[in-house]
Amino acid sequence: VYLETYGCQMNVNDTEIAWAVLQKNGYARTKEPAEADVILLVTCSVREKAEQAIWNRLRHLKALKARRQQAGLPLRIGILGCMAERLKEEILHREKLVDIVAGPDAYRDLPRLLAVAESGQQAANVLLSLDETYADILPVQTSAGGTTAFVSIMRGCDNMCSYCIVPFTRGRERSRPIASILQEVQMLSDQGVKEVTLLGQNVNSFRDMSEVQFQSAAAPALSRGFSTVYKSKAGGLRFAHLLDQVSRIDPEMRIRFTSPHPKDFPDEASVLQLIQERHNICKQLHLPAQSGSTRVLEAMRRGYTREVYLELVHHVRDSIPGVSLSSDFIAGFCGETEEDHQQTVSLLREVRYNVGFLFAYSMRQKTRAYHRLQDDVPADVKKRRLEELIAVFREEAARANEAMVGRSQLVLVEGPSKRSASELCGRNDGNIKVIFPDAEMEDAAGCEAPVRARPGDYVLVKVTSTSSQTLRGVPLRRTTLSRSAAC
């Protein structure tokens, strides 16, 4: 089997789950499509561009499949994930190229679907589940010996933002039992993984209902100014408890999480407190804003105003000094005026994010926007507004990064820099890329001989220059997370 992943970090984790299922059923893995009996594409549906990439890839695979057919070596092709969920009929009928279609909750069914495909029939399972979390399947890491890993803690989303396809492709929100998450993180620690990112569409609404004694716990109250389209849910162990437990497993393992929703933060003071207190929980938060205009935020059904969002940003910065912030923005949403756009520009300037994910709006079928709103911002206007947002974001991120020149950053080494074998690349606590020479340095453990850093090492780097995306510096010494925190 050959696996190819598109889209978000959840899809990286889904690829590992699918591979774990297939490996248990006797499949071997190849890195070469030409060697494969089965090619599986784990797909994304969030934007039209993501889907277009899959259709283009299928055109390439059509020729490979035809050549294999002529040679008497049949090739099965499968579409997995969100696009499978959204476009099942179209995928199966377009040129009859795809043999199997499996939605995000159907990975356990892959061996059966492939067996049906072996007999020459098309096979599909896109049933969404109310309880599937794959809690008993330990994902098989796709990059053996990697320093970082993603751990899925929940699936689906209940927020129903008007632009978003996720509730329709990934279903309702449900959380994994904490015990199974801790088991997976411990396994990764034993394998030498040094950074784990807890994944979910809405991680800070995590709610583990598996332990009876916590099922009657009161529902947390939303902070002033935030609202939801659903009733607050009572019972269960919450995200703060999970974060506390995960951070205790290995003091040398960094913990990150994404993606939270702003509405689930303010009264979760314990989450912000934990981030501030624990040396191995990264001082970095993803706070997806989507727009700087209250009018557009209301049309998006985000559940907050610009003012309430900014209050949260100030609260976060007061609670976690030096925190690094990232965000998502959509340019050209339905009905967005030039004034709305300028409000987003001013929000980018006011907050000064360290990392940003910015996209032009693309209408998705099934969403509330598709049924209720007009996609009335012309494509060229969306493009211009997106370019303006990116330019402002980069300008402000560059300023934020410039403030780090002359300071030391603790960097988790990931490997050689893509551009130069004589340099190493890693990320600091704020999730910003740091590049420095692969040179000998002292070791904080007192080793007399100079050492060279390897992937998985923590290195203290003094920043000498920056851009909007990257820090550059000189290595001072190899150290540990605990030792660095103590200093």
Side-chain angles (χ1 to χ4, degrees):
V1 62
Y2 173 79
L3 287 150
E4 210 164 84
T5 311
Y6 295 79
C8 69
Q9 294 160 328
M10 286 293 285
N11 280 1
V12 175
N13 188 255
D14 277 9
T15 303
E16 293 171 354
I17 289 169
W19 169 227
V21 170
L22 292 170
Q23 191 182 43
K24 271 188 181 163
N25 283 269
Y27 282 81
R29 182 100 180 253
T30 176
K31 291 185 176 180
E32 297 299 328
E35 293 175 355
D37 305 299
V38 178
I39 293 177
L40 300 177
L41 310 182
V42 183
T43 64
C44 172
S45 245
V46 169
R47 283 171 296 279
E48 196 175 329
K49 193 175 176 183
E51 289 184 353
Q52 199 50 54
I54 300 297
W55 291 122
N56 293 343
R57 184 69 175 122
L58 286 174
R59 274 203 291 277
H60 290 134
L61 292 177
K62 185 180 181 183
L64 175 62
K65 190 170 184 176
R67 287 199 301 274
R68 294 284 291 274
Q69 209 80 38
Q70 285 171 350
L73 299 165
L75 172 66
R76 308 290 172 213
I77 293 173
I79 297 291
L80 275 50
C82 293
M83 190 170 163
E85 193 67 46
R86 194 178 94 78
L87 295 171
K88 171 191 153 188
E89 299 299 331
E90 190 177 345
I91 291 165
L92 287 173
H93 295 133
R94 204 192 258 200
E95 299 171 18
K96 299 282 184 190
L97 174 68
V98 174
D99 302 285
I100 77 158
V101 172
D105 291 345
Y107 300 140
R108 289 180 197 273
D109 202 24
L110 281 173
R112 183 190 69 83
L113 294 172
L114 284 165
V116 171
E118 283 294 313
S119 69
Q121 302 173 67
Q122 288 182 307
N125 181 348
V126 292
L127 292 174
L128 285 174
S129 165
L130 290 174
D131 52 17
E132 177 63 271
T133 62
Y134 300 108
D136 59 325
I137 296 175
L138 287 176
V140 178
Q141 292 297 302
T142 42
S143 53
T147 58
T148 63
F150 300 117
V151 172
S152 177
I153 65 168
M154 61 199 299
R155 299 181 76 81
C157 186
D158 289 348
N159 286 320
M160 292 294 187
C161 301
S162 61
Y163 54 82
C164 187
I165 191 72
V166 167
F168 305 98
T169 59
R170 287 190 169 269
R172 309 272 72 163
E173 199 171 283
R174 62 270 186 203
S175 302
R176 264 175 83 178
I178 285 179
S180 79
I181 297 167
L182 298 181
Q183 181 193 1
E184 186 176 338
V185 174
Q186 182 64 63
M187 178 191 78
L188 292 167
S189 169
D190 294 343
Q191 289 173 3
V193 168
K194 289 293 178 68
E195 181 179 289
V196 156
T197 302
L198 305 177
L199 284 184
Q201 252 72 41
N202 190 16
V203 287
N204 51 343
S205 68
F206 177 87
R207 196 170 64 106
D208 171 13
M209 295 292 285
S210 65
E211 296 189 37
V212 176
Q213 68 267 39
F214 297 106
Q215 287 179 3
S216 58
L222 290 177
S223 225
R224 185 171 55 84
F226 287 88
S227 63
T228 66
V229 296
Y230 57 81
K231 280 184 183 169
S232 199
K233 303 176 190 109
L237 286 168
R238 300 284 169 168
F239 184 60
H241 181 84
L242 171 67
L243 196 57
D244 170 48
Q245 295 293 303
V246 168
S247 68
R248 291 175 188 273
I249 287 175
D250 182 350
E252 287 302 308
M253 178 190 269
R254 274 181 175 169
I255 309 299
R256 302 188 190 276
F257 57 86
T258 198
S259 191
H261 192 291
K263 70 178 168 50
D264 296 306
F265 262 120
D267 282 344
E268 270 280 22
S270 48
V271 169
L272 301 180
Q273 198 178 332
L274 271 172
I275 297 170
Q276 196 267 320
E277 286 174 2
R278 297 282 160 88
H279 75 270
N280 63 334
I281 303 179
C282 292
K283 312 295 177 270
Q284 174 242 327
L285 267 189
H286 188 61
L287 289 180
Q290 307 300 358
S291 173
S293 159
T294 293
R295 200 183 66 79
V296 173
L297 288 169
E298 192 176 340
M300 289 177 165
R301 300 221 297 181
R302 288 293 290 168
Y304 51 83
T305 62
R306 174 197 176 94
E307 291 70 29
V308 164
Y309 178 86
L310 280 169
E311 269 179 43
L312 171 60
V313 168
H314 297 315
H315 174 50
V316 165
R317 286 199 158 135
D318 289 344
S319 305
I320 312 165
V323 68
S324 167
L325 295 181
S326 58
S327 194
D328 300 331
F329 286 93
I330 295 170
F333 184 64
C334 306
E336 183 188 75
T337 64
E338 201 58 37
E339 187 187 339
D340 294 324
H341 167 63
Q342 289 306 324
Q343 287 188 40
T344 302
V345 169
S346 76
L347 186 75
L348 282 165
R349 291 212 184 277
E350 188 168 342
V351 177
R352 187 172 287 175
Y353 298 95
N354 301 84
V355 178
F357 303 92
L358 301 96
F359 303 96
Y361 175 65
S362 65
M363 179 77 86
R364 307 278 77 197
Q365 286 176 348
K366 294 188 181 177
T367 61
R368 185 181 175 86
Y370 179 79
H371 293 295
R372 305 280 182 92
L373 302 174
Q374 287 283 310
D375 186 8
D376 54 0
V377 179
D380 59 332
V381 175
K382 284 182 189 174
K383 185 171 181 285
R384 172 183 58 78
R385 288 179 186 172
L386 176 62
E387 285 167 357
E388 282 177 23
L389 293 183
I390 290 171
V392 171
F393 156 70
R394 287 201 167 143
E395 199 179 305
E396 295 301 327
R399 283 191 184 138
N401 287 349
E402 274 166 29
M404 295 188 211
V405 173
R407 295 190 196 169
S408 297
Q409 299 287 313
L410 186 67
V411 178
L412 174 60
V413 180
E414 292 175 3
S417 162
K418 282 181 182 172
R419 293 193 179 175
S420 168
S422 64
E423 293 180 314
L424 292 172
C425 180
R427 290 182 184 271
N428 70 356
D429 189 86
N431 212 20
I432 299 165
K433 190 184 284 186
V434 184
I435 295 169
F436 60 95
D438 181 3
E440 290 187 334
M441 68 193 84
E442 67 174 80
D443 185 66
C447 174
E448 286 187 19
V451 295
R452 287 186 111 92
R454 297 187 309 273
D457 285 345
Y458 290 103
V459 174
L460 203 61
V461 175
K462 186 176 182 181
V463 178
T464 54
S465 66
T466 65
S467 70
S468 65
Q469 310 290 294
T470 312
L471 309 178
R472 284 185 167 274
V474 291
L476 301 177
R477 60 183 170 275
R478 188 172 72 177
T479 183
T480 65
L481 199 50
S482 306
R483 189 177 278 117
S484 175
C487 293

